[in-house]
Amino acid sequence: MNNITEEMIDKYADTLLIGLTDEERKMIQDEFETIEKNMDFINQIPNIKDIEPLSYPFEMYIDDLRDDSVSGEEIQIDVLLRNCDRVEGREVEVPKVVA
Amino acid sequence: MNKSISELHEMLVAGSVTSDELVKESLEICKKVQEETNSFVTIIEDAKGSEVTDNLLSGIPYGIKDNLSTKDILTTASSNTLKDYVPFYDATCVKKLKEAGCVGVVKTALDEFGMGGTGTTCHTGAVKNPWDKSRIAGGSSAGSTASVAAGCYPFALGTDTGDSIRKPAGYCGVVGYKPTYGMISRYGLLPYASSLDTVGVLTRNVKDAAIVVDAMKGIDENDMTSWDSSNIHLVENLESSCENKKLFYIKELVDLDNYSNPTDEFKAHIDNFMETVKLCKKLNIKVDAVSVDKDLLNALPAVYDVISYAEATTNMSNLTGISFGPRGEGDNPTDMIKDHRTKGFSSLIKRRFVIGSYVLQSENQEKYFLNAKRVRRMIVNTMNELFEKYDGMIMPVSVGPAKYLDTSKNVKNDETRVLEEALQIANHGGYPSITIPNGFINNLPVGVNITCAIREDEKLLQIANTLESNMNYKNQIAGGEK
């Protein structure tokens, strides 16, 4: 039984600002079916709720806070804009959205 | 280019070859290998030799995976969303190698953003295995692995989120080393899944891997997950004895009795693995078969999928085509971003993003994302307990040799799914892990993998070096010497 519908797929894709073809939509549904099946292995594990989630491979404590000052090299704006397709002066150009 | 780093260094110091000549030779081989395997996104035609110093790496050419930022050199992560992107800075690992005197000669192709294990989703097309062009090189570090195997240079950089260095290394008959998480800075790596991503290296022998990682490792103020490894000296301690070390393999995954209909290739692969186990015993390295909870093993692929897709979805939300990347079409920024992302991402990436978004929805987080992270802890706890009793884990790499590029020729078997993904364990726990070649099946190379506890990289390389020294697959090049 597939819990994810085409409407849901479209909704999530839209939130991600991604357009899908019919073929891609079908592929997602198929892959989701596999994920769901595999997720059952996880959800069957007893007392799983008692376990604390692990977000990083091992504990990493940062005990050396740097000074609250600018670090790293200064980067020139023209360098930052080098990969931008549309530039006006020192700014990124986008269509006007406010009347 | 068939020489090791140390041999090339000796030749450079003796003056029997110059760095310029090495770079030129490497570029020529790369061009030929590109025609045969499609390993590269960029060949840096104007690369020049560098000054030869006492540093073993000075003057040596190498390859850089194209998800690592290179100052003033195209860096695409093999994605159309970054097809023209030129960084203004070097990734820390690249910067360190530059300081050591290395010369980057190519940017190597990968599965888009490192997402994939086949090397077939690069925006420049699939990478072919240099041992057999009808087979995959494996991924995601496909171009790096194929080019090292083909003899383009002694080493290339890779990255490893699930097995992206270690699985292709097995398929291409080379060494693939993923150090402990955070030992090498991730600064400048275009990320896939930040809690799993690790920079590493592909070489043709273990010592070369030690040399390169010694040069790249270290704490970096630009990566808060990097740590001080100044007490770790990989090359210096490489030759220590491994007698009386104790290894284990996971019985449920390796025992053929657990598979109802194994293929001949798979049977040969396991037989070959057991030969390596016998070799360990001959070398006074004890190897035990241990049992791991089947429920945990079965959950492994889903844990990886859920965590990595969720992290990828978040990491790649900055790819908009507005401030960098090809600008999409549209009347407003939202439509432009959607057009950029729709045209730029491959179908595979879109699939992973949508699933990643689904598991992160507030109504789904508990069931999917948090439960996956809970099982991640259980897997890591289990492994940590085993590493208290054993020096390391030894496992076969993948299921049989490299698969066919034409997927219809591959045998699909759901039963081998967990063994296929077993190297992901090292990413969940941040463990150092290395693949070395250990034989051939049907004239295709296969590999064996060793994994140790975190920060035990010296021990890992000692075991790998001992095994490598007692097998016949060190420094092998696909198609003979170049």
Side-chain angles (χ1 to χ4, degrees):
Chain A
M1 183 64 195
N2 211 326
N3 289 339
I4 195 161
T5 61
E6 279 193 20
E7 291 72 29
M8 287 161 82
I9 290 171
D10 283 340
K11 187 183 124 192
Y12 299 131
D14 203 48
T15 310
L16 292 163
L17 298 179
I18 289 173
L20 299 173
T21 62
D22 288 346
E23 195 186 351
E24 286 170 341
R25 206 174 285 114
K26 170 81 173 59
M27 281 157 69
I28 290 168
Q29 271 202 304
D30 291 347
E31 184 160 345
F32 196 82
E33 208 167 318
T34 310
I35 296 253
E36 279 279 271
K37 209 167 89 187
N38 289 343
M39 280 308 295
D40 286 343
F41 290 118
I42 289 182
N43 296 317
Q44 280 164 16
I45 292 174
N47 304 321
I48 190 169
K49 296 285 177 282
D50 300 338
I51 312 283
E52 192 189 338
L54 180 67
S55 297
Y56 269 85
F58 46 87
E59 303 298 345
M60 283 171 277
Y61 297 106
I62 296 173
D63 52 11
D64 182 23
L65 292 178
R66 67 169 175 80
D67 293 337
D68 186 17
S69 58
V70 176
S71 69
E73 294 167 27
E74 190 182 338
I75 302 155
Q76 298 300 313
I77 286 179
D78 62 326
V79 173
L80 285 170
L81 292 175
R82 219 164 47 188
N83 282 293
C84 181
D85 274 1
R86 285 185 220 165
V87 173
E88 193 177 307
R90 286 158 50 89
E91 288 162 358
V92 174
E93 186 193 327
V94 288
K96 196 172 180 178
V97 288
V98 180
Chain B
M1 280 306 128
N2 59 336
K3 305 275 191 299
S4 68
I5 291 170
S6 303
E7 288 168 334
L8 289 174
H9 179 68
E10 278 173 28
M11 289 167 68
L12 286 165
V13 169
S16 56
V17 70
T18 66
S19 176
D20 265 335
E21 285 166 350
L22 279 186
V23 168
K24 197 175 164 211
E25 184 187 340
S26 176
L27 284 168
E28 280 166 13
I29 299 171
C30 286
K31 284 177 202 164
K32 189 166 172 282
V33 168
Q34 174 71 345
E35 284 172 20
E36 294 166 355
T37 67
N38 198 28
S39 287
F40 310 120
V41 177
T42 303
I43 295 178
I44 306 166
E45 302 266 6
D46 58 351
K48 296 275 183 298
S50 64
E51 188 191 353
V52 177
T53 66
D54 288 343
N55 194 311
L56 281 173
L57 289 163
S58 61
I60 308 269
Y62 77 110
I64 306 168
K65 188 171 175 180
D66 206 29
N67 58 351
L68 291 164
S69 300
T70 42
K71 188 178 179 184
D72 298 331
I73 295 168
L74 184 69
T75 299
T76 67
S78 283
S79 175
N80 279 316
T81 57
L82 292 175
K83 67 184 176 68
D84 302 315
Y85 175 65
V86 180
F88 56 84
Y89 69 104
D90 282 322
T92 298
C93 57
V94 172
K95 190 175 166 201
K96 286 193 167 208
L97 290 179
K98 203 181 261 181
E99 285 164 2
C102 288
V103 184
V105 291
V106 290
K107 298 298 296 287
T108 64
L110 59 145
D111 281 301
E112 188 177 3
F113 285 105
M115 291 195 216
T118 58
T120 59
T121 65
C122 329
H123 76 313
T124 46
V127 176
K128 295 172 188 169
N129 191 314
W131 293 92
D132 176 350
K133 315 293 186 303
S134 70
R135 305 258 182 168
I136 62 169
S140 64
S141 306
S144 288
T145 317
S147 58
V148 168
C152 291
Y153 27 59
F155 75 97
L157 300 187
T159 59
D160 190 315
T161 306
D163 53 26
S164 284
I165 286 175
R166 295 160 295 145
K167 195 187 274 185
Y171 288 161
C172 292
V174 297
V175 172
Y177 169 33
K178 176 196 96 67
T180 298
Y181 179 84
M183 199 158 109
I184 298 172
S185 167
R186 287 180 292 115
Y187 181 66
L189 161 65
L190 302 170
Y192 165 12
S194 304
S195 81
L196 304 163
D197 289 344
T198 315
V199 176
V201 69
L202 284 311
T203 62
R204 291 190 295 269
N205 63 73
V206 175
K207 187 180 177 188
D208 281 359
I211 292 169
V212 179
V213 172
D214 263 345
M216 290 195 293
K217 69 186 182 64
I219 197 158
D220 179 6
E221 66 171 13
N222 292 318
D223 177 1
M224 62 175 280
T225 60
S226 65
W227 46 274
D228 182 6
S229 57
S230 53
N231 61 335
I232 294 177
H233 306 284
L234 299 172
V235 177
E236 203 178 306
N237 295 301
L238 190 62
E239 302 291 341
S240 299
S241 169
C242 288
E243 275 201 42
N244 302 319
K245 290 265 189 294
K246 289 193 294 181
L247 304 177
F248 70 92
Y249 63 82
I250 300 173
K251 194 160 66 177
E252 287 74 10
L253 300 182
V254 174
D255 192 343
L256 280 172
D257 292 341
N258 292 319
Y259 300 93
S260 58
N261 193 20
T263 62
D264 289 343
E265 273 193 343
F266 181 35
K267 280 194 268 190
H269 190 189
I270 294 297
D271 287 347
N272 187 68
F273 172 73
M274 295 316 295
E275 285 300 314
T276 305
V277 169
K278 270 189 213 161
L279 173 66
C280 289
K281 291 176 181 170
K282 203 173 134 194
L283 297 168
N284 289 325
I285 298 171
K286 193 180 172 204
V287 183
D288 287 344
V290 305
S291 264
V292 171
D293 184 345
K294 201 80 197 276
D295 288 342
L296 273 188
L297 293 173
N298 283 333
L300 196 61
V303 171
Y304 176 79
D305 287 352
V306 169
I307 292 172
S308 66
Y309 295 2
E311 290 187 18
T313 305
T314 312
N315 273 334
M316 279 162 225
S317 57
N318 69 335
L319 298 169
T320 60
I322 296 293
S323 51
F324 61 93
R327 184 67 69 96
E329 290 169 15
D331 297 332
N332 57 68
T334 304
D335 288 350
M336 288 170 138
I337 295 170
K338 191 167 181 179
D339 187 60
H340 164 82
R341 289 165 71 87
T342 300
K343 288 176 184 164
F345 292 130
S346 68
S347 297
L348 177 87
I349 299 280
K350 289 181 190 174
R351 238 149 75 195
R352 292 190 173 193
F353 286 169
V354 172
I355 292 166
S357 175
Y358 178 81
V359 301
L360 285 174
Q361 299 298 315
S362 53
E363 65 273 23
N364 299 330
Q365 271 204 25
E366 183 68 30
K367 181 182 172 190
Y368 295 99
F369 191 51
L370 293 177
N371 274 354
K373 294 209 286 187
R374 290 181 176 112
V375 180
R376 180 180 187 179
R377 185 177 291 279
M378 293 172 81
I379 293 165
V380 170
N381 286 350
T382 302
M383 289 298 293
N384 288 346
E385 281 168 22
L386 285 165
F387 285 141
E388 280 176 19
K389 293 182 213 152
Y390 291 94
D391 293 292
M393 174 170 75
I394 183 163
M395 291 291 286
V397 176
S398 185
V399 177
K403 314 289 183 288
Y404 287 100
L405 281 160
D406 177 356
T407 52
S408 66
K409 290 185 182 170
N410 295 322
V411 179
K412 291 184 180 64
N413 186 350
D414 208 35
E415 282 185 335
T416 55
R417 175 185 61 99
V418 180
L419 178 57
E420 194 70 76
E421 311 297 345
L423 300 189
Q424 292 166 359
I425 290 171
N427 301 81
H428 289 308
Y431 307 121
S433 185
I434 189 167
T435 290
I436 59 170
N438 75 331
F440 283 83
I441 293 168
N442 296 336
N443 298 318
L444 289 160
V446 287
V448 63
N449 179 267
I450 302 148
T451 300
C452 289
I454 57 164
R455 299 189 170 96
E456 292 202 337
D457 293 65
E458 285 179 0
K459 190 197 282 181
L460 176 83
L461 295 202
Q462 287 160 10
I463 297 167
N465 186 54
T466 300
L467 285 179
E468 180 188 71
S469 306
N470 287 279
M471 296 192 289
N472 298 317
Y473 311 107
K474 187 176 176 179
N475 295 328
Q476 62 188 5
I477 290 179
E481 287 193 3
K482 292 224 167 41

